Amino acid sequence: MEGVIPVPDPPDTPSGPDPAADGRRWEQLITEAQTALPVELPALVDRCASALGLGTVLIYLADLQQRLLIPLDEALESLPVDRSSAGWAYRTISPRVADADDGLIVWMPLLDGAERLGVLAVRVTSLDGVLMRRVRMLAHLFAMIISSKRAYSDWLAARTRTAPMGLPAEMVRAFLPPRTIGSSRCVSTAVLEPAYGIAGDAFDHTVVKHELHTMILDGMGHDLIAGLTTSVAMAAARNTRRGGGDLTDIVGSVDQALAQWLPDHFCTGVLCRLDTETGVLRWVNCGHPPPLLIRDDRVLAGALDSSPQPPLGLAGPLAPAARQIHETKLEPDDCVLLYTDGVVEARDANGAEFGLDRFTEFIIHSNVAGQRPAEVLRLLIHAIFDYQRNQLRDDATIVLFEWRPRPQ
């Protein structure tokens, strides 16, 4: 089970001659984990593994673009996500067992809820069901530890970067949520490129009780002010959400905040609210490409189109009198795609656009092939990046969310 701290019990964990001593040892290790510096995690995970009767352990975290798995041990080399046993475990969210000179290596995914953080490499001399449960418990524990520490650790942030980051990108990324969030009823995942040079694009998603809120933004321009515009928009939306406001209140607060603090700047965007109990989707489109609805492996053309509305943040006579909120009801396993124009307008060497058809076909074919949503977007954003020869002319951002209701 996700999020369970592994507390030893006699049937499943090593029990020495003094079970009370085992309990005290785990209490000490968990207490130490709360105060350990991120740079001390490689040593701590080995001590926890020893308490579980496992061998040595290495921690690998995915880089910002999800192309590499980077070890926290700075003396080791990174591993490719697309061509390694470690990468297979990361891509599929499944353990992978590989032969080693002195036994076996279990590559176990590190998951923070629905978000893929990286993998553990756990050495064992042999493997059975009990040891596999211990490896899985160790991964659960350290996923929580890493997630709690990365919020304030510049070292962890720097460790997962492979290039210098521009100031606008640094500012926007300070506001971005995790790439993937979810519950038993829904999942939302997002990607954004260029990873180190974004400025005007941003996304947001969160779960409020039984509601999934998602948002995609495209700021005017491609500079620090564009990043500031989308950052203010995200802050205004969160402020109103956390105050209990509905979708109408949220879009109104974004309009007001931008008109007040950045009156000469605006951004386009789509804001959505999905009731994960009923499947009712409400959305507002502010001058942005319309969302796409994928059902039964095909795009329902025009299903989420709506009448044009002005961008967010327009003041004075250009300000809309009232925002139109639209509503529809999703069916189980429906997918909704939000994207910025940099996705479909990416051009190859001959000037041909990546295009909406290629974009949606990639999503559908990946879904049919059984890829999970986060992996679908990872592959897609790499395909777009490669299509434009690693030189995007504009930010490209995609948000994909699915409704997965519980069986009745």
Side-chain angles (χ1 to χ4, degrees):
M1 180 182 296
E2 299 292 337
V4 176
I5 296 177
V7 179
D9 56 72
D12 290 322
T13 56
S15 56
D18 185 358
D22 288 342
R24 288 192 296 272
R25 184 181 185 190
W26 271 102
E27 181 181 10
Q28 179 183 355
L29 286 169
I30 292 173
T31 301
E32 184 181 348
Q34 291 180 317
T35 58
L37 296 171
V39 74
E40 296 170 336
L41 294 183
L44 177 62
V45 73
D46 272 341
R47 292 196 293 276
C48 290
S50 176
L52 289 169
L54 304 171
T56 58
V57 182
L58 297 174
I59 301 172
Y60 289 81
L61 298 182
D63 80 302
L64 209 55
Q65 295 174 297
Q66 301 182 84
R67 294 183 183 271
L68 297 172
L69 291 166
I70 300 175
L72 290 193
D73 185 337
E74 295 174 313
L76 300 177
E77 296 292 327
S78 298
L79 302 173
V81 169
D82 289 317
R83 300 180 309 280
S84 66
S85 294
W88 188 93
Y90 177 82
R91 298 192 311 270
T92 62
I93 320 180
S94 302
R96 179 92 173 208
V97 181
D99 290 327
D101 293 338
D102 53 352
L104 302 170
I105 296 179
V106 181
W107 296 99
M108 182 64 69
L110 281 169
L111 296 174
D112 178 26
E115 186 186 16
R116 304 181 296 183
L117 303 178
V119 295
L120 289 187
V122 184
R123 286 187 174 270
V124 293
T125 55
S126 61
L127 190 62
D128 58 20
V130 171
L131 285 177
M132 184 62 86
R133 285 198 298 273
R134 297 174 189 170
V135 173
R136 198 179 301 276
M137 288 192 300
L138 187 67
H140 292 334
L141 174 61
F142 272 81
M144 289 188 291
I145 292 171
I146 291 165
S147 294
S148 69
K149 296 182 184 300
R150 64 177 177 165
Y152 64 83
S153 172
D154 284 350
W155 180 74
L156 280 176
R159 190 74 189 122
T160 55
R161 295 180 182 182
T162 60
M165 181 169 290
L167 180 58
E170 193 75 67
M171 179 177 62
V172 171
R173 287 201 173 276
F175 279 87
L176 294 182
R179 276 189 294 256
T180 305
I181 63 168
S183 68
S184 59
R185 297 178 180 177
C186 63
V187 62
S188 177
T189 187
V191 287
L192 194 159
E193 285 283 0
Y196 299 94
I198 55 170
D201 279 15
F203 68 87
D204 196 15
H205 47 202
T206 188
V207 176
V208 181
K209 292 185 178 180
H210 62 273
E211 295 177 347
L212 171 67
H213 289 258
T214 58
M215 177 169 65
I216 194 166
L217 300 167
D218 187 352
M220 178 184 67
H222 194 81
D223 53 18
L224 188 64
I225 297 299
L228 181 61
T229 302
T230 52
S231 297
V232 169
M234 283 190 285
R238 289 174 185 172
N239 182 255
T240 304
R241 277 200 315 258
R242 293 165 184 174
D246 61 17
L247 192 57
T248 301
D249 299 324
I250 292 168
V251 69
S253 70
V254 174
D255 272 327
Q256 182 179 2
L258 292 178
Q260 178 180 356
W261 299 107
L262 295 164
D264 297 325
H265 296 272
F266 61 87
C267 61
T268 67
V270 176
L271 292 78
C272 302
R273 192 203 72 178
L274 171 65
D275 186 318
T276 62
E277 292 184 333
T278 65
V280 172
L281 173 68
R282 304 182 74 228
W283 80 98
V284 55
N285 187 341
C286 305
H288 200 80
L292 301 175
L293 177 60
I294 298 177
R295 177 178 295 162
D296 298 329
D297 301 326
R298 64 188 183 92
V299 177
L300 298 188
L304 301 181
D305 287 357
S306 57
S307 55
Q309 296 191 61
L312 294 156
L314 295 182
L318 298 177
R323 292 292 187 182
Q324 290 182 304
I325 307 297
H326 304 276
E327 184 174 305
T328 191
K329 191 174 189 306
L330 300 185
E331 295 185 3
D333 301 320
D334 276 356
C335 299
V336 176
L337 272 171
L338 313 177
Y339 64 97
T340 59
D341 52 15
V343 171
V344 295
E345 292 176 1
R347 297 179 181 272
D348 66 9
N350 298 318
E353 287 189 346
F354 193 81
L356 187 60
D357 288 343
R358 195 192 310 265
F359 169 53
T360 54
E361 286 173 7
F362 193 105
I363 296 283
I364 292 169
H365 291 164
S366 298
N367 280 339
V368 170
Q371 302 284 5
R372 296 173 182 265
E375 182 63 11
V376 171
L377 291 200
R378 187 189 76 89
L379 294 171
L380 174 58
I381 201 69
H382 290 173
I384 293 169
F385 212 72
D386 295 342
Y387 186 83
Q388 200 159 315
R389 305 172 308 285
N390 299 333
Q391 295 293 328
L392 293 180
R393 295 182 177 88
D394 192 8
D395 294 349
T397 304
I398 311 166
V399 178
L400 167 66
F401 62 90
E402 293 185 354
W403 183 46
R404 299 171 173 177
R406 294 170 178 166
Q408 298 298 314

